[in-house]
Amino acid sequence: MHASRQNGHLNGIHFFTTPSEPSSAQTNPGHGRAGSSELDGRGNESVGTAPDPIPIIPYWSAKRHLTCGNPTPPPSWAPKISPWRSSPGKLKTANAALVLCLNIDVDPPDIVKTNPCAVLECWVDPHTMPSHKALEVIGTNLQHQFEGLSPKLSYKPILDPSYEDLRRFCATLRKQAKEDTVLFYYNGHGVPKPTASGELWCFNRNYTQYIPVSLAEVQHWLGTPCVYIWDCSAAGNLLLNFNIYAQRRDSENANAGRSEGAPPFSESIQLAACAANEQLPSCPELPADLFTSCLTSPIDIALRYFVMHNQLPNNITADMAMQVPGDLKDRRTPLGELNWIFTAITDTIAWTSFSRELFTRLYRSDLLIASLFRNFLLAERIMKNYHCTPHTSPSLPPTNTHPLWAAWDLAVDSCLRQLPELLRHSDTSMLDMAMGSASIRARRQAQAQAATPRQDKLGHGEKIYNYIPSRFFADQLTAFEVWISRGGSALTKRGPLSLPLQNYDASEVEVDEMGGAPTSAVASTKKDHHLVPRKPPEQLPIVLQVLLSQPHRLRALVLLSQFVDLGPWAVHLALAIGIFPYISKLLQAGGQDLRPVLIFIWSRILAVDLSCQVDLYSNGGYKYFANILAAHEDPQHLTIPNGSEHKAMCAFVLAAIARDYPHGQNACWREKVFHSCFERLDEGDFLLRQWSALCIGQMWDGNDDIKIFGVDNGTQDKFISLLTDDSPEVRAAVLFALGTFMGASGSANSMKTGGGGTGTMHHLEERVHFRMEVAVEDASPMVRKELLVLISCLVKDWVYWEEDRKWRLGANSEPHEDDVTSQAISEWLDSFGDEEVREENRVILSSFFTIFSVLLELSVDPYHEVATNARTIVDYIMALLLESPFTRLESNTLHQLPSPPRTLAGARSRRSSLTSSPILTRPSSPNVTRPALNRSDIVTGTIKRTSSFANALKNLAGGIAFPSVEDGRSSPHRSTHAHTPIVPSLSSISRPPSPNLNFAQYACPYSRPPSPQVPTSSKSAPASPTASARSSTDDRSHQATDFLPSDVMEALMEEDMERLRARRRSTHGTRGRNAVPHSPADSTFSSDSAGSSVILGLGTGSGIRDVLPLKSRFFDWCCEYFKEPQMRQAEADEPGSLEYNYQAWRQQRNEQVLSETLNQAEIAFGRPWDKAVTTLHIQGVPLSVAFHAYDPHIAIANETDVISVWDWSRRRQLTSFCNGNPQKASITSLQVINQDVGGILLAGSADGMIRLYRNYDPATSNTDVQMVSAFRGLSEIISVRRGSGVVVDWKQAGGFLLVGGDSRIIRVWDAHTEAQLLDLETNSDSPVTAIASERGPSSVLLAGFADGVTKVFDRRLEEEDAVVRSFNEHNNWVQNVRWHPHFGNQFLSASTNGEVKLWDTRGADRAVETWDMFPGGLAAFDVHSQSGVFAGVSTLSPSNWRTQRVVIHSISRPATLSTATMNTGLTTSPTRGFPSQYIPRSSSITFHPTEMLYGVGSPDGTVRIYGSKLL
């Protein structure tokens, strides 16, 4: 189903991408269709030639055939992914209070220090200087250490504060921070330990007493939000009691209703050095403020700790480790590289250990908080070795034994082993002086200067020592690459190796799509056995850090692009890890090599999260993509490989920026994106054409200025020319864009349906507006759905509902001269004095009559979604007609019952297929005139009715206008709503299988009340819509009218014009539903008629729901392309997958079948063919039979519309379903296509419809039969004396469908493009009765006709001159034509008089040989495709109706191979005609395509399968 697009190459990384339509070749629109894939010559097949080659891609199997342009809903087992952005309460630290209670030289009374013990505070020994000086230096160093974490904050050291000073400083900091976060750091090494009740200590002013400070007071002073750091012994007392006080305060505030929007106190963040019963370590090699050192200078303490616990060469000491040269912010220096590695490792540990919500809150919300918690992981690792357990609130799982700490030790070891050489070649004089200084800032500056080697310290011939960077990042990237290349994209079962549930919002409750009870996402995952993504690699946060490095950046981006290509879950993980700001900054990079990968990544991001459009607009990132889209590259010097696809990605990104975002629309317009997309509409890549059109459509959505620009540049003309594009996606995209131009909404919000038409259009005259022509003969239902969205916009703004009345009169053969509508139109046109204006208005009326005719045709579309949407529009028009002022004219006929339909000669009622003897009910003459299929006979709902339009449509308010999915005799569920059906004998309507996704819902034009208690004054939902609407209509109909029909006509036209003028009077750029009158239901211009004398406010559309325009889902479906993996093969193409293995087995099995049957065919043409194989029984008469070439399946269609599929080897019915034919039509053709890879059933019915079905075999599918596609194969079915319905022939080689029948043409459809390829003129008034394409790549085909003529066509010739030979020896209906199985220039034909003739297309006009098989008449005929035999069945006659003869004859030998006599099962002589009025036979015979078998269908519903006796 997927195929690789053009391969792009980027620095050794191949981008394999998948198109949304594999069959859409990169061809210019509208060119090269006729015979484009055919060879010039017509191949002559010799004996033993294999059948058509196995297609690389099966037809009607692309993604659009699975969803028909509907976005695929997530599977029921997939929980909802949590948002990656921080919550609205994102922390932002404003300032910090650094409280130091050291009281140097005075030990607290409850602390007994060891000797020696830890003395360093902020890397300063306070005993080396006076106490007051030491306190100031310590405070300064502490400030510098915090500034290293976040330099932009304001830090206030509070040194040995008194109670009053502490209160004052806290109040000042909260006042300055306003609603932002305040950091409160408390160092209590010089005061007693916190009390068990939660009191910390400070001093009095004279430093003679310790003053307790309650945490409740601190909470009151600082408020919320806050971050607290407790660096003291028994710090756990503060953490635990703080939470108790916080919960109590939150409860009090909630009870008092004092929630002012500030976060609750219980959400405050705390970091405590140890538990409540623990004391800080006093190891003399470590600083006294070990916890603070870990939090603020992690690299220094980590190096010291490593030296203390590891034996290193060259006698490296802890003091030497403090002299590692470099700058923490310069990743090219040793110290900077270590800091970079430390950041990557701690981020990764947190990512793999904490929940996504907690990680986002602590590590991606604020720079200072992220640094503190990153360094806290180091504090936990070090301090737990000294029997201290740091704690946090919120609590974190332990990470001190994470395996990544080994990678950190390796990086430190690699750096320290080079330290002696680094120091020997560095200027250590300044470093020695700095080490003797107490200032940490001086030491940092000296370390940075020492990173530059000195030339004067080199010996003779000695080279400068270059620091060897760590391989940490290169190794981690390699590990990430291995994960991706060795099955990272593979799926697995739920378990420890699968994606953790914490990636999802497990609290989401889902409701089963079939209406089941709600179940939690977690519970649903336990029940299913679906495969889920693998556990993501641990290196993902490291890849994020590597983006900061220029040498590794491209490799990291390529790997990241491969990761996000795995699906939306991977994109969410990348965004949650914090990739967004890095990727945003890279858009300012000028590197050409980064362009392809950045475009790829951004397209995936915007496909998953549309909210990023605001970020791209704010930072100007949209210009990056606009410039690439506008660039014209030299094909010989490509800067971007596979430029067309990358430009398509740019168009998608820009379309996403403009979607439902006016600022984004205008930004794209300023960057000339509209012009760039317009130019790309001529590109050869269909994906670029598709997204160029979609981007224009999103820019048009609700933006009047850009719509005017588009009209001025002739964009609509360009789009109209693209409606014949080879790609269905492009055609649908063009219609989507035209729909947004006409007022449809492209918003992602399902509640926004659009409106407002084409906008203000100030520069156009009132009656000069957008004009276009559309073609409805498109085989893709996805395209027809978009056409209906466009038409719904036209109907909403320019109704002209009186045209419906004109259409109804046009169908009447005897219109009344005094008809009110004709009179109104005539008088209204006569009111225009200018003939040119009169003609222009006549053209307008004619155009809308054409649109309404198209709507009627689409309302009976064979595809359910198309028909449902069309019926919504048709009923809306009808409802407006009934509510129009025409109903108040005395001469109107809207409430009169229609004339009963005329009964045509030979018309018969549709009988059940359960009739045991159907022939008994047929007329005796087989040449009876067949009634024509009138649209009024097959249009359901609104058109076909038994009462007046008024009464029928009024029932819409209380019932259902059209059969719902549950209605019809083939549906397993029936509707529980009681209503009066509008269509008579609704139970006789057959409902074909539903498509895979069927989202269309009928929208009633009348409001339905939610409850009887709704006030009657409600305009949108009266208490009884049916009764109130009917009474209002009846009341108006009895009112005295003082206006003429022409006045009504002019009022209707003027209301349309007034809506246009109202839009123009509206404020520029106004968007919204209530800004201007959007629909006739809002027409209330009685007092505001712009000076017109026309009588307005006649109540047009009163009580009509605003159900138009329709809402398109096409853009969302197109976006799914960028959510699907493009760099790897599809599951079916992945070696080892279930689908791959199954198709490989099928291919081997098929080759074996072909090999065996070719050997059998060489001897079967001389053997008997009377070996009974099996017998099947169906309901009805088996008139159409089709064998599967490789599977033991046979498809059988009866005389009505029931198709059944059987496994003939087991005599078991696989499935049975209705085809959905109208009552007067039947299935006339049945084919099995794509047989090499499975099979799709193709059924053609007499109403001109072609329907395709899949999943008919329960052994290979766990779903019911689904409709793949459906379309009108023949648009014009002529009325003939005796017709053949629709006759089809499928040519697997090339994907061509030939459709003929009751028409003067043979239409050729291209399955690649789902478009009409050719209309071959038959040059005959007789219907086509049989079609046969020559095998292989030939363009030649045969056609038999009802008048006995057989013609040979060549599709390479002009459509009018495609007939190359005619053979006229038959005098009766040609039952079938078939090519000779061995000689490509010969074919056989058989007529109903029993003659079988062999023809040579290169010989004379006379038959080469003639066989008179059945002098009494031939019912069915077929030729085996491999063996030289043909078969026929005798017809029934009044004198011989109990039995039928089956004759198998050799083509090359004169003798008959087999003759069999079968009982018909009839009990009386047939008195009526054939079972189907389109098929002149009561039985059938069909050869198996490969096996030496054939099936014979009898009138009693028996299908007998016989074979050749090969032994």
Side-chain angles (χ1 to χ4, degrees):
M1 165 169 162
H2 291 75
S4 296
R5 288 178 56 86
Q6 222 174 332
N7 293 340
H9 186 269
L10 175 64
N11 286 34
I13 302 297
H14 292 271
F15 283 73
F16 297 101
T17 56
T18 306
S20 56
E21 168 46 58
S23 62
S24 298
Q26 296 187 3
T27 57
N28 291 327
H31 298 297
R33 279 192 178 175
S36 58
S37 62
E38 300 292 338
L39 299 178
D40 293 335
R42 176 165 56 90
N44 296 328
E45 299 183 6
S46 59
V47 177
T49 300
D52 298 339
I54 297 177
I56 299 177
I57 304 167
Y59 302 102
W60 278 291
S61 300
K63 182 188 174 182
R64 65 173 181 269
H65 301 116
L66 187 65
T67 62
C68 193
N70 294 312
T72 306
S76 58
W77 50 267
K80 182 180 178 181
I81 299 179
S82 302
W84 61 272
R85 293 183 186 270
S86 301
S87 60
K90 179 180 179 180
L91 298 177
K92 179 183 178 183
T93 307
N95 48 36
L98 308 181
V99 181
L100 292 168
C101 296
L102 298 179
N103 198 15
I104 300 175
D105 295 333
V106 178
D107 293 337
D110 59 346
I111 298 295
V112 178
K113 294 185 178 180
T114 61
N115 188 17
C117 68
V119 296
L120 295 180
E121 296 281 352
C122 295
W123 303 106
V124 175
D125 186 351
H127 303 296
T128 60
M129 61 187 75
S131 59
H132 67 278
K133 179 65 175 178
L135 185 61
E136 293 179 0
V137 173
I138 291 172
T140 303
N141 278 4
L142 181 63
Q143 180 178 352
H144 292 333
Q145 289 175 205
F146 270 98
E147 287 176 348
L149 302 180
S150 182
K152 296 183 179 181
L153 267 64
S154 173
Y155 300 95
K156 177 62 178 176
I158 305 176
L159 309 177
D160 288 348
S162 64
Y163 177 87
E164 292 78 9
D165 293 339
L166 183 62
R167 180 180 58 185
R168 176 168 50 84
F169 280 124
C170 288
T172 302
L173 289 175
R174 169 47 60 193
K175 184 178 180 180
Q176 294 174 350
K178 298 181 181 179
E179 297 180 354
D180 291 336
T181 303
V182 174
L183 171 67
F184 184 82
Y185 167 85
Y186 175 73
N187 183 328
H189 297 175
V191 294
K193 293 185 291 186
T195 64
S197 59
E199 292 175 322
L200 54 87
W201 300 91
C202 62
F203 307 96
N204 63 356
R205 290 190 178 277
N206 298 327
Y207 295 97
T208 58
Q209 291 181 346
Y210 297 113
I211 306 299
V213 181
S214 173
L215 286 176
E217 295 179 289
V218 177
Q219 290 178 352
H220 177 70
W221 297 340
L222 292 176
T224 182
C226 274
V227 177
Y228 298 89
I229 300 177
W230 313 115
D231 188 355
C232 58
S233 297
N237 284 331
L238 297 177
L239 186 146
L240 296 176
N241 284 280
F242 184 95
N243 290 335
I244 296 174
Y245 287 126
Q247 294 175 3
R248 185 181 305 166
R249 186 178 294 272
D250 291 339
S251 178
E252 294 174 354
N253 291 339
N255 295 334
R258 292 195 297 265
S259 58
E260 301 175 356
F265 284 88
S266 57
E267 291 187 4
S268 299
I269 296 176
Q270 302 179 73
L271 297 96
C274 59
N277 58 347
E278 294 176 347
Q279 186 171 334
L280 294 179
S282 57
C283 178
E285 289 84 4
L286 296 175
D289 60 344
L290 177 60
F291 187 62
T292 300
S293 298
C294 291
L295 294 182
T296 57
S297 54
I299 304 302
D300 294 331
I301 192 65
L303 293 176
R304 178 178 287 266
Y305 174 80
F306 184 83
V307 172
M308 291 171 57
H309 290 79
N310 294 276
Q311 185 67 35
L312 293 173
N314 301 323
N315 297 322
I316 298 176
T317 63
D319 292 335
M320 292 177 61
M322 301 293 289
Q323 301 181 32
V324 174
D327 185 357
L328 287 172
K329 298 179 181 179
D330 188 353
R331 292 180 294 272
R332 296 169 297 180
T333 63
L335 189 62
E337 184 187 59
L338 281 177
N339 186 54
W340 184 27
I341 294 174
F342 178 81
T343 301
I345 287 179
T346 51
D347 252 8
T348 304
I349 292 175
W351 170 257
T352 56
S353 303
F354 306 153
S355 67
R356 297 292 172 259
E357 181 182 1
L358 192 60
F359 177 85
T360 303
R361 180 188 178 195
L362 300 181
Y363 290 85
R364 292 298 181 264
S365 61
D366 180 79
L367 177 60
L368 177 61
I369 296 175
S371 300
L372 289 173
F373 274 90
R374 202 178 289 123
N375 301 340
F376 174 83
L377 304 182
L378 177 66
E380 182 187 21
R381 185 193 188 207
I382 294 177
M383 298 184 70
K384 279 190 174 182
N385 287 328
Y386 295 94
H387 309 290
C388 271
T389 307
H391 285 69
T392 62
S393 178
S395 61
L396 300 176
T399 59
N400 58 303
T401 58
H402 197 282
L404 267 180
W405 285 119
W408 166 249
D409 291 339
L410 179 62
V412 172
D413 182 85
S414 174
C415 177
L416 292 181
R417 287 179 183 274
Q418 303 181 64
L419 184 59
E421 287 294 325
L422 289 174
L423 295 179
R424 192 167 68 87
H425 293 82
S426 301
D427 186 1
T428 58
S429 59
M430 294 293 295
L431 191 57
D432 294 337
M433 295 175 57
M435 295 300 296
S437 171
S439 172
I440 193 170
R441 174 173 290 182
R443 181 162 63 89
R444 294 296 185 213
Q445 293 175 352
Q447 284 179 289
Q449 292 179 2
T452 304
R454 289 188 55 182
Q455 300 284 345
D456 55 357
K457 299 190 67 175
L458 298 177
H460 180 70
E462 188 177 1
K463 296 182 180 180
I464 298 177
Y465 181 81
N466 293 320
Y467 173 73
I468 302 175
S470 172
R471 290 188 49 83
F472 171 79
F473 289 106
D475 293 341
Q476 296 299 321
L477 289 181
T478 301
F480 192 85
E481 185 176 4
V482 169
W483 184 90
I484 291 179
S485 61
R486 296 296 185 267
S489 60
L491 303 178
T492 185
K493 293 182 179 180
R494 290 284 186 195
L497 298 180
S498 66
L499 189 67
L501 285 178
Q502 64 180 4
N503 291 281
Y504 302 105
D505 185 5
S507 62
E508 254 332 281
V509 175
E510 297 182 353
V511 179
D512 188 86
E513 295 179 2
M514 301 305 294
T519 57
S520 67
V522 178
S524 65
T525 58
K526 294 180 181 179
K527 298 177 182 178
D528 61 67
H529 302 282
H530 296 283
L531 299 180
V532 296
R534 289 179 58 192
K535 185 179 180 180
E538 295 181 350
Q539 295 79 16
L540 185 59
I542 299 176
V543 174
L544 172 66
Q545 291 294 326
V546 176
L547 294 178
L548 302 173
S549 171
Q550 180 68 29
H552 300 291
R553 181 173 297 162
L554 180 58
R555 185 186 178 193
L557 283 175
V558 171
L559 292 175
L560 184 62
S561 67
Q562 294 176 351
F563 179 73
V564 298
D565 185 60
L566 298 180
W569 66 270
V571 177
H572 272 282
L573 285 180
L575 291 174
I577 201 67
I579 192 178
F580 189 79
Y582 295 85
I583 296 297
S584 298
K585 291 179 181 179
L586 287 178
L587 293 179
Q588 277 74 43
Q592 297 286 336
D593 54 344
L594 299 181
R595 282 189 170 187
V597 66
L598 281 178
I599 294 172
F600 186 91
I601 293 175
W602 271 106
S603 64
R604 268 63 194 168
I605 291 177
L606 280 172
V608 172
D609 191 349
L610 188 60
S611 65
C612 297
Q613 62 180 177
V614 179
D615 303 271
L616 284 180
Y617 169 76
S618 302
N619 60 24
Y622 64 91
K623 298 179 181 179
Y624 184 87
F625 305 98
N627 293 334
I628 296 177
L629 182 62
H632 294 277
E633 297 182 352
D634 183 4
Q636 303 298 328
H637 303 85
L638 294 177
T639 58
I640 299 181
N642 195 11
S644 295
E645 185 170 4
H646 285 91
K647 282 184 169 62
M649 296 180 192
C650 290
F652 159 70
V653 171
L654 295 168
I657 294 173
R659 188 181 195 187
D660 204 22
Y661 188 48
H663 294 300
Q665 290 177 329
N666 294 326
C668 292
W669 189 20
R670 290 192 300 268
E671 291 298 317
K672 299 182 179 180
V673 173
F674 192 103
H675 178 72
S676 300
C677 291
F678 184 83
E679 290 184 339
R680 302 302 176 192
L681 293 175
D682 292 325
E683 292 286 342
D685 192 337
F686 81 96
L687 190 66
L688 180 53
R689 300 197 304 272
Q690 172 189 346
W691 278 105
S692 297
L694 291 173
C695 185
I696 291 177
Q698 289 295 351
M699 294 177 66
W700 266 344
D701 186 13
N703 197 309
D704 294 349
D705 294 333
I706 303 182
K707 288 182 180 180
I708 295 173
F709 180 81
V711 172
D712 291 341
N713 287 271
T715 309
Q716 69 278 13
D717 296 329
K718 181 63 178 178
F719 278 167
I720 292 172
S721 66
L722 285 174
L723 292 177
T724 59
D725 193 275
D726 286 341
S727 170
E729 286 83 359
V730 174
R731 301 197 297 270
V734 166
L735 289 172
F736 172 85
L738 292 174
T740 58
F741 180 88
M742 298 303 298
S745 173
S747 171
N749 187 352
S750 60
M751 303 305 295
K752 292 184 179 180
T753 58
T758 57
T760 57
M761 293 294 170
H762 295 282
H763 65 304
L764 297 181
E765 298 179 6
E766 287 185 355
R767 296 184 180 274
V768 177
H769 227 241
F770 185 67
R771 297 182 179 180
M772 66 175 184
E773 298 176 359
V774 294
V776 297
E777 295 182 356
D778 200 299
S780 173
M782 180 179 68
V783 178
R784 301 198 298 274
K785 283 169 53 180
E786 294 306 308
L787 174 63
L788 281 172
V789 175
L790 172 60
I791 294 179
S792 70
C793 298
L794 293 171
V795 171
K796 183 178 178 65
D797 260 312
W798 303 90
V799 182
Y800 298 106
W801 46 81
E802 64 280 355
E803 276 305 292
D804 169 70
R805 183 61 182 165
K806 178 180 178 182
W807 173 82
R808 291 170 62 240
L809 288 176
N812 194 344
S813 59
E814 298 178 358
H816 299 287
E817 295 181 359
D818 57 347
D819 176 76
V820 59
T821 309
S822 301
Q823 179 184 354
I825 294 176
S826 177
E827 293 178 358
W828 178 70
L829 291 175
D830 292 340
S831 65
F832 296 98
D834 191 348
E835 179 63 28
E836 183 177 348
V837 176
R838 187 184 301 115
E839 182 62 26
E840 178 184 355
N841 284 279
R842 186 178 289 109
V843 171
I844 291 177
L845 291 179
S846 175
S847 300
F848 281 90
F849 167 65
T850 302
I851 291 177
F852 189 74
S853 301
V854 169
L855 282 174
L856 294 181
E857 183 172 333
L858 292 175
S859 68
V860 292
D861 194 273
Y863 202 83
H864 184 269
E865 281 195 297
V866 178
T868 301
N869 290 337
R871 291 165 182 173
T872 296
I873 305 175
V874 170
D875 275 12
Y876 181 80
I877 297 175
M878 293 299 183
L880 287 175
L881 170 66
L882 296 176
E883 300 299 334
S884 70
F886 278 113
T887 59
R888 284 181 276 171
L889 295 174
E890 295 180 358
S891 55
N892 85 83
T893 58
L894 290 175
H895 299 278
Q896 298 177 4
L897 289 174
S899 303
R902 293 176 295 174
T903 303
L904 299 178
R908 57 178 176 84
S909 62
R910 181 180 181 181
R911 295 183 57 85
S912 172
S913 60
L914 301 177
T915 306
S916 59
S917 181
I919 296 185
L920 301 180
T921 63
R922 307 297 189 267
S924 57
S925 174
N927 297 326
V928 67
T929 302
R930 180 179 63 83
L933 279 178
N934 297 323
R935 290 289 161 83
S936 59
D937 293 333
I938 57 179
V939 174
T940 59
T942 303
I943 310 304
K944 188 171 184 179
R945 64 201 186 284
T946 56
S947 60
S948 67
F949 265 109
N951 293 332
L953 281 178
K954 294 300 179 182
N955 288 333
L956 293 176
I960 301 176
F962 296 97
S964 65
V965 178
E966 292 79 9
D967 295 325
R969 59 183 173 85
S970 66
S971 175
H973 303 286
R974 291 196 177 266
S975 175
T976 59
H977 301 284
H979 62 275
T980 302
I982 296 177
V983 184
S985 63
L986 186 62
S987 61
S988 65
I989 296 177
S990 68
R991 178 70 54 184
S994 177
N996 179 41
L997 294 180
N998 189 2
F999 290 151
Q1001 292 183 349
Y1002 171 77
C1004 175
Y1006 288 97
S1007 301
R1008 185 175 302 184
S1011 64
Q1013 287 76 23
V1014 176
T1016 56
S1017 59
S1018 176
K1019 182 177 180 180
S1020 60
S1024 179
T1026 306
S1028 61
R1030 184 182 294 110
S1031 61
S1032 63
T1033 304
D1034 296 340
D1035 292 342
R1036 286 196 305 241
S1037 63
H1038 290 87
Q1039 293 176 358
T1041 57
D1042 56 353
F1043 48 86
L1044 299 176
S1046 59
D1047 295 331
V1048 176
M1049 192 71 188
E1050 187 170 0
L1052 297 178
M1053 294 293 184
E1054 189 62 26
E1055 285 194 356
D1056 279 343
M1057 291 298 123
E1058 185 60 29
R1059 282 196 299 277
L1060 174 60
R1061 287 191 288 267
R1063 284 205 304 270
R1064 294 182 173 182
R1065 289 196 301 268
S1066 63
T1067 304
H1068 176 70
T1070 300
R1071 299 182 66 182
R1073 201 174 186 85
N1074 300 321
V1076 295
H1078 282 265
S1079 67
D1082 301 323
S1083 299
T1084 55
F1085 299 124
S1086 57
S1087 60
D1088 184 10
S1089 57
S1092 174
S1093 60
V1094 177
I1095 304 174
L1096 298 177
L1098 297 178
T1100 302
S1102 176
I1104 303 300
R1105 285 179 58 202
D1106 201 9
V1107 298
L1108 299 184
L1110 300 175
K1111 179 74 173 179
S1112 172
R1113 298 170 177 260
F1114 179 70
F1115 189 88
D1116 294 318
W1117 177 80
C1118 293
C1119 292
E1120 289 183 350
Y1121 172 81
F1122 298 102
K1123 299 179 183 179
E1124 300 166 349
Q1126 308 294 333
M1127 296 187 188
R1128 64 182 178 93
Q1129 298 180 4
E1131 187 72 12
D1133 301 328
E1134 196 72 40
S1137 66
L1138 292 177
E1139 295 182 37
Y1140 181 90
N1141 292 340
Y1142 174 70
Q1143 291 300 335
W1145 171 83
R1146 284 193 64 93
Q1147 184 172 359
Q1148 294 177 1
R1149 190 276 312 269
N1150 297 348
E1151 293 175 354
Q1152 181 180 358
V1153 169
L1154 291 176
S1155 176
E1156 293 176 355
T1157 54
L1158 283 175
N1159 295 330
Q1160 295 172 3
E1162 295 178 356
I1163 59 176
F1165 70 95
R1167 299 296 178 89
W1169 285 68
D1170 53 1
K1171 177 183 177 182
V1173 177
T1174 188
T1175 301
L1176 311 173
H1177 296 277
I1178 71 165
Q1179 296 177 348
V1181 182
L1183 294 183
S1184 298
V1185 177
F1187 280 98
H1188 195 288
Y1190 307 105
D1191 296 330
H1193 298 161
I1194 181 173
I1196 307 169
N1198 66 7
E1199 77 279 11
T1200 55
D1201 69 339
V1202 178
I1203 300 175
S1204 58
V1205 183
W1206 294 71
D1207 184 336
W1208 54 263
S1209 64
R1210 301 180 181 179
R1211 299 185 62 184
R1212 182 170 62 92
Q1213 180 174 301
L1214 302 179
T1215 187
S1216 178
F1217 57 92
C1218 293
N1219 190 51
N1221 306 334
Q1223 294 185 13
K1224 296 182 179 180
S1226 60
I1227 300 173
T1228 54
S1229 294
L1230 192 62
Q1231 301 271 345
V1232 183
I1233 70 173
N1234 296 344
Q1235 301 183 45
D1236 302 277
V1237 294
I1240 290 179
L1241 290 180
L1242 186 149
S1245 52
D1247 58 348
M1249 304 300 185
I1250 304 295
R1251 297 174 176 87
L1252 297 100
Y1253 305 99
R1254 62 170 163 247
N1255 300 342
Y1256 59 81
D1257 184 8
T1260 58
S1261 175
N1262 55 2
T1263 61
D1264 295 332
V1265 179
Q1266 295 177 350
M1267 178 179 288
V1268 181
S1269 183
F1271 58 96
R1272 190 180 297 277
L1274 287 179
S1275 56
E1276 295 296 334
I1277 298 181
I1278 61 176
S1279 177
V1280 294
R1281 182 172 177 268
R1282 175 179 157 191
S1284 60
V1286 167
V1287 180
V1288 303
D1289 182 73
W1290 168 250
K1291 187 176 178 63
Q1292 187 74 37
F1296 298 110
L1297 181 66
L1298 288 74
V1299 184
D1302 296 345
S1303 177
R1304 294 184 177 88
I1305 62 171
I1306 296 177
R1307 178 159 294 174
V1308 182
W1309 294 91
D1310 188 351
H1312 285 280
T1313 63
E1314 293 189 69
Q1316 174 185 336
L1317 193 65
L1318 296 169
D1319 278 344
L1320 304 178
E1321 296 286 347
T1322 62
N1323 301 328
S1324 175
D1325 292 331
S1326 296
V1328 178
T1329 59
I1331 304 176
S1333 299
E1334 190 173 12
R1335 300 165 65 189
S1338 174
S1339 299
V1340 178
L1341 61 102
L1342 303 173
F1345 292 84
D1347 58 0
V1349 178
T1350 303
K1351 297 184 179 182
V1352 182
F1353 296 81
D1354 193 332
R1355 291 189 286 111
R1356 295 169 297 182
L1357 303 178
E1358 295 294 332
E1359 297 179 350
E1360 298 83 3
D1361 303 321
V1363 179
V1364 294
R1365 293 293 302 271
S1366 293
F1367 302 95
N1368 306 318
E1369 288 192 5
H1370 285 299
N1371 298 322
N1372 294 81
W1373 181 292
V1374 176
Q1375 284 284 28
N1376 205 353
V1377 291
R1378 284 290 181 263
W1379 288 98
H1380 194 288
H1382 303 321
F1383 305 107
N1385 59 309
Q1386 295 183 358
F1387 68 93
L1388 292 88
S1389 63
S1391 62
T1392 55
N1393 63 358
E1395 290 184 344
V1396 176
K1397 294 180 178 294
L1398 176 66
W1399 310 88
D1400 192 330
T1401 57
R1402 295 179 296 185
D1405 293 338
R1406 298 183 60 84
V1408 176
E1409 190 170 353
T1410 301
W1411 297 271
D1412 192 1
M1413 293 187 68
F1414 303 105
L1418 180 143
F1421 171 80
D1422 198 13
V1423 179
H1424 199 281
S1425 59
Q1426 296 189 33
S1427 183
V1429 297
F1430 62 88
V1433 180
S1434 64
T1435 188
L1436 298 180
S1437 64
S1439 60
N1440 185 13
W1441 51 270
R1442 294 182 182 274
T1443 61
Q1444 283 183 296
R1445 285 195 311 128
V1446 179
V1447 175
I1448 309 297
H1449 205 287
S1450 173
I1451 301 177
S1452 58
R1453 299 182 180 181
T1456 299
L1457 300 179
S1458 297
T1459 300
T1461 302
M1462 300 183 306
N1463 292 325
T1464 62
L1466 302 179
T1467 57
T1468 60
S1469 173
T1471 57
R1472 300 179 61 90
F1474 298 109
S1476 171
Q1477 56 191 351
Y1478 303 99
I1479 304 175
R1481 63 175 186 267
S1482 54
S1483 57
S1484 59
I1485 187 168
T1486 303
F1487 275 107
H1488 194 286
T1490 55
E1491 302 280 355
M1492 303 302 113
L1493 302 172
Y1494 64 96
V1496 182
S1498 300
D1500 60 349
T1502 302
V1503 178
R1504 298 175 176 88
I1505 299 178
Y1506 295 93
S1508 174
K1509 295 181 179 179
L1510 301 176
L1511 298 179

